[in-house]
Amino acid sequence: MKTVLISGANVGIGFATAKFLAARPDWHVLLACRNKAKANAAIALIKKSHPDARLDFVPLELFSLASVRRVPGVLHAMRVSALDGLILNAGGINMKAKSLEFSDDGFERTFQLNFLGHFLLTNLLIKQMADPARIIFVSSDLHDPAATKMGKLMPPKYGPVEDLARGISTAAKLKPMARYATAKMYAMMTAYELDRRLRKTGRPITVNSWSPGVVPTTQAGRGMSPVLKLIMMSNWFVSFMGSHRSTEEEAAQALGTLLIDSRYSSVSGKYFDGFREIPSSIESRDESKARTVWEQSASLAGLAREEAGIEKRNSKAYPTNFSASKA
């Protein structure tokens, strides 16, 4: 049986993807969520459709790096021998925030939720990934100012990672949507960098980024006013802005297929929009900038070299012909 961990799996795309995978008897689905009661309610709901599904709760609070650091130990205690899949799904924006909000770790919350927490989690779990395995970062088309009109209006702003983390200097006056877009761009940059590092070791772990487009029913924009949300999620507005709408079920099918379908077994270092593989933003594919984001993020997260666990293994045992994104 294969095992996948999905962050934010009790609602929205994460829940729909957990349900999609639970329908397959060869998958053990771990719902990594901050609220145990809501996670168990989600598990009970999935079991109504798939009573034989194997589902478990893993506590994960992305606003707490201490909680993130506990996940490997939790999996060990659950006797999860290896992860075949890791879907980094949780995310969102607080549109109601009147000013910058910070986690107990001292980082701006949009930054920590959409990027730093997942960056640390991925590095800590690399040692517990199977060979082969697949990692998917859930992204957003907002990361690319050339892709959508919204991206042009609220473009990401590359700069020192600590600026975005602390809400200072280059990031001090960014609007919520721009902070979100920047965090998603940084996540994509580190996905590309992780792919490059893993290929050097010979480990057969694929790393890709994926965007669902606009999914009106998710809680990502729960801080919006009802009128604004109605307008921004409407078909005409989404189309006008250059994006596309998906239902949670459609998004789950695309995301779940990327995890389990044999067509993607050797596809790595790529970006998918729904079912389509497309180029991500030019800036996100800048290898020098991505390496800088990785190194600065590792420092902010307190990630020791030995914790990353991207160690070299017997390269003769594993294929290394994964396709990689080119800048």
Side-chain angles (χ1 to χ4, degrees):
M1 178 170 280
K2 296 181 178 181
T3 303
V4 58
L5 184 145
I6 308 173
S7 69
N10 62 295
V11 293
I13 296 170
F15 172 77
T17 305
K19 186 175 181 180
F20 175 86
L21 295 171
R24 284 134 186 89
D26 56 335
W27 278 93
H28 177 199
V29 183
L30 303 176
L31 288 78
C33 314
R34 60 175 142 181
N35 187 302
K36 183 177 182 179
K38 291 182 178 179
N40 285 338
I43 288 172
L45 193 57
I46 293 172
K47 280 187 171 287
K48 285 184 178 181
S49 301
H50 309 293
D52 296 326
R54 187 173 177 191
L55 303 135
D56 284 296
F57 163 66
V58 173
L60 172 65
E61 170 57 89
L62 288 167
F63 289 125
S64 166
L65 296 187
S67 172
V68 174
R69 287 185 174 279
R70 286 193 287 269
V71 172
V74 171
L75 297 182
H76 180 75
M78 294 173 65
R79 298 188 178 181
V80 174
S81 58
L83 288 174
D84 301 274
L86 177 60
I87 297 179
L88 305 159
N89 162 75
I93 323 166
N94 182 4
M95 298 294 288
K96 289 183 178 179
K98 302 296 183 182
S99 59
L100 292 174
E101 298 180 331
F102 295 89
S103 70
D104 290 342
D105 297 301
F107 300 125
E108 194 276 321
R109 286 168 67 88
T110 301
F111 167 85
Q112 185 160 334
L113 173 63
N114 294 283
F115 170 53
L116 192 65
H118 280 149
F119 173 78
L120 176 60
L121 180 66
T122 304
N123 275 281
L124 295 176
L125 291 180
I126 284 292
K127 287 182 179 179
Q128 291 172 250
M129 301 295 292
D131 292 318
R134 303 184 194 184
I135 299 173
I136 305 171
F137 287 75
V138 174
S139 189
S140 168
D141 52 15
L142 290 174
H143 87 276
D144 188 357
T148 67
K149 292 183 178 69
M150 184 62 75
K152 289 184 178 70
L153 291 171
M154 299 287 181
K157 187 173 181 61
Y158 174 82
V161 177
E162 188 158 9
D163 286 3
L164 192 66
R166 308 292 185 187
I168 58 175
S169 189
T170 60
K173 295 183 180 180
L174 288 181
K175 299 295 184 183
M177 200 77 77
R179 288 200 300 274
Y180 173 79
T182 308
K184 288 296 188 183
M185 183 178 73
Y186 283 177
M188 188 172 292
M189 285 176 155
T190 55
Y192 286 139
E193 180 65 14
L194 178 58
D195 167 64
R196 286 186 285 268
R197 292 179 181 225
L198 285 169
R199 283 189 293 112
K200 288 179 180 178
T201 71
R203 291 196 67 186
I205 299 176
T206 65
V207 188
N208 292 294
S209 298
W210 173 87
S211 170
V214 176
V215 183
T217 54
T218 68
Q219 296 186 18
R222 57 188 174 274
M224 295 181 186
S225 72
V227 174
L228 180 61
K229 185 171 183 178
L230 184 65
I231 294 172
M232 292 187 67
M233 300 298 179
S234 64
N235 278 323
W236 72 266
F237 185 83
V238 171
S239 178
F240 172 73
M241 283 295 176
S243 188
H244 63 91
R245 279 176 38 133
S246 299
T247 65
E248 291 178 8
E249 290 71 26
E250 289 168 341
Q253 184 180 2
L255 180 54
T257 299
L258 188 56
L259 178 76
I260 66 175
D261 198 292
S262 60
R263 289 175 295 169
Y264 306 111
S265 61
S266 295
V267 177
S268 192
K270 297 294 184 179
Y271 170 56
F272 292 82
D273 184 35
F275 285 98
R276 299 182 306 131
E277 180 190 319
I278 64 173
S280 61
S281 71
I282 293 173
E283 189 164 52
S284 72
R285 290 179 279 133
D286 186 307
E287 293 191 19
S288 177
K289 288 183 177 180
R291 189 162 50 250
T292 297
V293 169
W294 178 285
E295 292 169 353
Q296 293 180 358
S297 301
S299 177
L300 280 176
L303 189 66
R305 182 181 297 272
E306 62 273 13
E307 285 182 307
I310 309 177
E311 73 278 6
K312 188 167 184 177
R313 297 194 178 185
N314 182 4
S315 59
K316 293 182 180 180
Y318 312 120
T320 58
N321 60 340
F322 299 152
S323 55
S325 175
K326 301 296 182 183

